[in-house]
Amino acid sequence: MKKYIYLFAIIIASSSCNKISYKNNFVQVNVMNDGNAFWQYEDFNSKKTISIEYPSFEIDGKTIIAKTSSINLQSETRDRLQQSTTIKLTGTLKADSTIHLNLTFMLYENSPVVRFRYSLSSSTPHYLTKVNGSDQLTYFTINTNNEYQIIEHRLSTFNEISHSYNLQDLPLTNSEISNGVDRMGPIISASNKTHTFLMAYEHGSTFPSIFLNYSFAADHSIRLKATKGNYIDKQALHIGEGFQTLWFQIASCKGTTNDLSKKYRTFILNDFCLGKESRIPYIYYNTWGFQERDKWYNKNKYLTSINLKDIKKQIRRSHQLGVEVFVIDAGWFQKTGDWQIDTIKFPDKLKEVKALLDSCNMKMGLWFSPNEVAMSSAAMQKHQKEIMKKNGKIHGPFEVWETEKSYKICLVSSYWETFADNLIRLHRETGVTYFKWDAINQTGCNEPGHYHGTIDNTAEDRAASYSFLLPEYMNKVVKKLLLTCPKAIVDFDVTEKGRSFGLSFLEVGKYFLMNNGPYYDNLDISIPMEQWSNIFVNPGPARPWIMRMPLTFDTWIPMVTMLTHYQADDPISSQRINFASMILGQNGWWGDINSISDSGVSNIAEMMKHYKNVRNDITKAQIKITGTPGNSPEIYEKIYDGRGVLVIISNTKGHYTYITNTKVKKIEYQSDFIKTKIDDNGFVRIDIDFHKPDAAIIFF
């Protein structure tokens, strides 16, 4: 029987203030409300306390520090599935007793990460304002000292070389801090080598489109401030739910930044996501890789292969390769918006496809473009007022992958529920549980009358509000879907820049991180119009160089959340390189899998069998990387409690020796051209001779 350790509250009341405390095995949250610190995060392990000061808002043209006259427990709820407790507190502002401040905490049984958010409401007319035209909101302030090394962990820089988002760890110098620099984050860590803490916010964008900034000062205070779009001018606090902030995070541990990154990574893997199925290391196959090859190599159309016969053929071969989630990309539907199955291509509405997938113990996935609605669709008739417009100009119509022309529809409107209802209907009708979302750009709508501003707001204010609120409404769709389909996996395609990339979507799903990498024009190379515009589309070692570049995310964000598709083409050396890269967490196949030789299929199936025995350990393990993509050798170690994998990749002929950083239990499988020896302490020495570009794999 699983043991549950519940949080408990200690409420201490006095005439001047309340003190409310909650704790789990790692931390205690103390709501002080004493005029200085609003609340404190107390770390049991390091015996350190972090004080969080009051937020401040511009209300009715005046900046108000949200000090409360009292703070009271409103509700406490426990979620057994999440192993979490949510505590809601409420109070009234000292500056005006008709304005209410609510504070919500989420604590997790097995994590030092505390999530929190604020909301404002009022019983009489009050408004958030922007007297100088910009957001005037400070979410929190934390004071530190000069003993701490501050590092920005930026997730959302789009690297044009790899055509992908990548992690940047950017230390701040003392001169930068003393001169009051701003940094985007979303994660900021502070470490003095014996104690480390972090702060983070749950949103997303592409740098340098910045919606929140950490502001640093010479007194070593760190403030998280709104920069744009966090609210609209004259946003009413007395109407509806008033104003609610994003979720924020605080975490702490004894030790270094690396110690805390392991704990934070575990939180993202095990605790954070409502869609638990998205954290299981399934092997995925997506038809788009072949659809592109069929277009450019066979001179067919993108949708030629999207039919019952060809899909069944790909399912059978995918099963041989160990695939567990089979995704039909663009082309399965009649028209966007209504998302009805194309009965010319699939006369029985995917019933035979689903039956074959079930017999192979595989899940079904479908592609969607959430913003696009066909001109003749019922959804268009219902949501004409929700068409996306910029300065009154309509987006489209545009052809969507050889289907009917579509308009862009704003998701920050009532349309979000129509789209969610269509996903739920398709789950009930077809059994689909994987939903790939494509082409959701973060900019494009400043039309009044949606949920991001009125005619009384400026076009700039409405545009910024749309971009800021889009991640929230995407999450709303997934949360509604999960109520009906708790095993749904929703995968947001961020293969192009200008999309919402950050912590927000990881609360509900995962990312489709990379497609084919860069285009020719990314590298200033011109090509004819009728040539495939991606560079890295062929088998061999080059494509995986690009695909492996974002593996550094795994220090903070598990790579199981960032699907990337590799190619299983012959020869065996190319298959080993692609397989070895894929199993480090990105877990996707695509391409012309039906052209793989029988021996190639057998080789992959044999390696896949051993991978599946240890894949949960690989997923738990934080990556250790030696070398960089394209170097010789590249070494990737993912070993958890003695089990996992070591991958060595070389592009150059030669002899290499490596000794693991982590102890192992025993060797379960190794490539046949390497020599290994476990020493008395449990570390492994590997000696290997490469004669050509290849990869060596050892499972423990």
Side-chain angles (χ1 to χ4, degrees):
M1 181 176 179
K2 188 169 181 66
K3 182 181 179 182
Y4 289 94
I5 303 171
Y6 291 123
L7 312 173
F8 64 90
I10 307 166
I11 304 177
I12 305 169
S14 72
S15 59
S16 59
C17 69
N18 295 4
K19 179 180 178 181
I20 303 176
S21 297
Y22 281 85
K23 67 180 180 180
N24 62 14
N25 290 327
F26 296 88
V27 303
Q28 179 164 301
V29 169
N30 303 308
V31 182
M32 311 299 291
N33 195 34
D34 64 359
N36 293 310
F38 190 14
W39 60 278
Q40 294 177 334
Y41 174 108
E42 184 180 345
D43 178 0
F44 294 148
N45 187 248
S46 68
K47 304 188 186 305
K48 296 285 187 178
T49 298
I50 302 165
S51 294
I52 291 84
E53 296 182 11
Y54 294 87
S56 67
F57 307 87
E58 186 182 290
I59 302 174
D60 302 330
K62 298 178 181 179
T63 299
I64 295 177
I65 298 174
K67 295 184 177 181
T68 57
S69 56
S70 63
I71 196 80
N72 300 295
L73 177 64
Q74 188 177 51
S75 65
E76 176 187 347
T77 57
R78 297 184 177 99
D79 186 324
R80 286 181 178 269
L81 179 63
Q82 295 293 112
Q83 297 182 43
S84 65
T85 298
T86 301
I87 307 109
K88 294 184 178 180
L89 308 168
T90 187
T92 58
L93 297 193
K94 287 184 176 180
D96 190 321
S97 61
T98 67
I99 302 175
H100 306 273
L101 176 70
N102 296 319
L103 169 59
T104 302
F105 293 108
M106 284 192 72
L107 281 78
Y108 296 81
E109 176 186 325
N110 298 310
S111 178
V113 179
V114 173
R115 298 173 71 205
F116 66 99
R117 74 188 311 173
Y118 300 112
S119 64
L120 283 175
S121 60
S122 64
S123 54
T124 60
H126 289 286
Y127 304 87
L128 291 178
T129 54
K130 302 182 181 184
V131 168
N132 67 358
S134 62
D135 292 13
Q136 298 297 311
L137 198 167
T138 299
Y139 289 111
F140 60 80
T141 302
I142 292 175
N143 291 304
T144 179
N145 58 54
N146 60 7
E147 294 178 358
Y148 284 86
Q149 169 66 64
I150 310 297
I151 303 176
E152 176 195 12
H153 306 281
R154 188 186 301 163
L155 305 182
S156 62
T157 298
F158 194 85
N159 185 313
E160 293 289 347
I161 296 175
S162 64
H163 200 83
S164 176
Y165 291 95
N166 70 106
L167 171 67
Q168 289 186 289
D169 296 318
L170 303 169
L172 277 77
T173 65
N174 289 333
S175 61
E176 286 176 319
I177 292 171
S178 63
N179 281 282
V181 300
D182 292 340
R183 289 288 180 90
M184 176 182 182
I187 303 170
I188 297 290
S189 68
S191 180
N192 65 3
K193 296 185 180 180
T194 61
H195 170 245
T196 304
F197 69 92
L198 69 77
M199 59 206 83
Y201 61 84
E202 297 173 21
H203 196 247
S205 65
T206 301
F207 180 82
S209 180
I210 300 171
F211 294 88
L212 297 91
N213 245 338
Y214 294 95
S215 179
F216 300 86
D219 64 359
H220 297 279
S221 62
I222 305 173
R223 290 175 172 79
L224 180 61
K225 295 183 174 183
T227 58
K228 66 177 179 181
N230 288 230
Y231 63 96
I232 56 173
D233 190 25
K234 300 182 179 64
Q235 183 165 333
L237 300 180
H238 57 286
I239 297 174
E241 297 180 352
F243 170 73
Q244 186 168 256
T245 73
L246 304 172
W247 283 101
F248 310 108
Q249 302 170 0
I250 299 286
S252 169
C253 79
K254 183 179 180 180
T256 65
T257 304
N258 187 57
D259 294 319
L260 186 54
S261 70
K262 290 178 182 177
K263 294 180 185 296
Y264 188 78
R265 185 186 180 281
T266 299
F267 165 73
I268 297 294
L269 180 64
N270 296 334
D271 302 308
F272 183 40
C273 189
L274 299 172
K276 298 297 185 184
E277 204 79 358
S278 71
R279 299 305 194 255
I280 298 175
Y282 292 122
I283 300 296
Y284 294 80
Y285 173 79
N286 184 293
T287 63
W288 187 251
F290 178 69
Q291 289 175 252
E292 286 191 306
R293 283 199 184 187
D294 205 28
K295 162 77 172 177
W296 296 109
Y297 290 171
N298 302 331
K299 305 306 178 185
N300 289 317
K301 294 185 176 181
Y302 284 114
L303 306 191
T304 298
S305 61
I306 303 299
N307 59 72
L308 180 59
K309 179 182 177 181
D310 284 348
I311 291 299
K312 287 173 66 177
K313 189 177 180 182
Q314 291 181 64
I315 289 172
R316 293 188 184 98
R317 179 49 60 90
S318 295
H319 181 51
Q320 293 175 323
L321 295 174
V323 169
E324 296 154 307
V325 182
F326 185 94
V327 184
I328 306 174
D329 208 272
W332 61 268
F333 50 90
Q334 292 180 28
K335 58 186 71 174
T336 61
D338 292 345
W339 302 109
Q340 298 287 347
I341 298 161
D342 187 332
T343 53
I344 295 175
K345 298 170 182 173
F346 302 99
D348 65 353
K349 297 187 176 181
L350 293 174
K351 288 184 175 60
E352 197 171 339
V353 168
K354 183 63 167 63
L356 180 57
L357 289 169
D358 287 345
S359 71
C360 296
N361 196 28
M362 295 164 69
K363 302 175 185 296
M364 183 166 72
L366 297 174
W367 175 95
F368 297 86
S369 186
N371 278 131
E372 276 154 341
V373 175
M375 296 174 68
S376 67
S377 66
M380 177 55 66
Q381 302 310 308
K382 181 179 179 181
H383 291 285
Q384 288 191 16
K385 292 183 179 179
E386 281 72 53
I387 292 177
M388 289 179 68
K389 297 180 184 178
K390 186 173 183 180
N391 301 327
K393 184 178 180 180
I394 292 176
H395 292 259
F398 305 103
E399 184 182 276
V400 179
W401 299 118
E402 301 167 358
T403 67
E404 182 182 327
K405 287 186 177 181
S406 299
Y407 288 107
K408 293 279 188 181
I409 297 289
C410 179
L411 270 176
V412 187
S413 73
S414 62
Y415 177 67
W416 81 266
E417 290 196 85
T418 296
F419 179 60
D421 290 342
N422 272 322
L423 301 185
I424 293 167
R425 171 185 56 79
L426 279 161
H427 166 66
R428 289 170 172 163
E429 290 176 358
T430 70
V432 59
T433 55
Y434 171 97
F435 305 82
K436 181 195 171 185
W437 291 5
D438 199 358
I440 310 176
N441 296 320
Q442 201 166 3
T443 59
C445 192
N446 62 10
E447 181 71 0
H450 300 170
Y451 295 166
H452 52 92
T454 70
I455 194 67
D456 294 327
N457 299 109
T458 65
E460 292 77 15
D461 201 9
R462 293 193 299 266
S465 179
Y466 167 78
S467 298
F468 180 81
L469 290 173
L470 180 62
E472 176 184 340
Y473 278 84
M474 291 168 62
N475 284 23
K476 281 177 177 285
V477 174
V478 185
K479 288 175 181 178
K480 186 172 183 179
L481 171 63
L482 287 169
L483 291 174
T484 300
C485 180
K487 291 193 173 183
I489 301 170
V490 182
D491 202 342
F492 172 31
D493 186 314
V494 290
T495 60
E496 306 293 338
K497 62 184 175 182
R499 299 185 180 177
S500 172
F501 188 83
L503 295 175
S504 176
F505 198 76
L506 294 177
E507 183 196 11
V508 294
K510 60 189 292 181
Y511 289 115
F512 186 107
L513 183 63
M514 294 186 74
N515 192 330
N516 291 313
Y519 300 90
Y520 282 93
D521 59 13
N522 285 111
L523 305 182
D524 301 323
I525 303 171
S526 298
I527 61 166
M529 288 297 292
E530 292 305 312
Q531 184 174 324
W532 199 346
S533 57
N534 284 113
I535 299 173
F536 295 99
V537 295
N538 298 313
R543 176 188 173 90
W545 296 339
I546 300 300
M547 303 292 131
R548 290 193 299 271
M549 286 180 69
L551 287 174
T552 53
F553 271 121
D554 196 70
T555 55
W556 287 93
I557 310 295
M559 288 309 298
V560 74
T561 67
M562 299 190 190
L563 177 63
T564 300
H565 291 276
Y566 288 84
Q567 295 180 346
D569 304 85
D570 297 301
I572 183 60
S573 59
S574 179
Q575 289 171 340
R576 270 197 295 257
I577 290 170
N578 279 269
F579 180 85
S581 304
M582 180 193 71
I583 62 171
L584 296 172
Q586 294 163 309
N587 281 23
W589 286 129
W590 74 8
D592 189 0
I593 58 173
N594 287 318
S595 295
I596 303 169
S597 67
D598 290 342
S599 62
V601 172
S602 296
N603 286 327
I604 291 171
E606 175 66 15
M607 292 187 292
M608 187 67 75
K609 178 181 69 176
H610 292 285
Y611 163 68
K612 288 183 177 179
N613 287 334
V614 295
R615 61 175 163 182
N616 290 330
D617 304 285
I618 293 171
T619 303
K620 292 176 187 175
Q622 185 186 52
I623 201 165
K624 290 181 172 65
I625 301 175
T626 302
T628 56
N631 283 351
S632 294
E634 299 172 52
I635 303 172
Y636 301 89
E637 189 174 317
K638 294 203 76 179
I639 302 169
Y640 182 87
D641 194 24
R643 290 167 55 87
V645 71
L646 178 71
V647 166
I648 302 177
I649 299 170
S650 179
N651 301 285
T652 304
K653 179 180 177 180
H655 179 85
Y656 303 97
T657 300
Y658 179 74
I659 299 172
T660 59
N661 290 287
T662 312
K663 296 180 181 181
V664 305
K665 292 184 176 177
K666 64 177 181 177
I667 295 172
E668 298 286 350
Y669 167 90
Q670 67 182 53
S671 300
D672 57 11
F673 55 94
I674 61 176
K675 295 179 181 179
T676 56
K677 183 179 179 180
I678 302 177
D679 68 19
D680 294 339
N681 295 315
F683 299 99
V684 185
R685 176 185 170 118
I686 300 97
D687 285 281
I688 181 168
D689 287 292
F690 283 106
H691 300 287
K692 58 184 176 181
D694 209 331
I697 303 167
I698 311 171
F699 291 119
F700 305 105

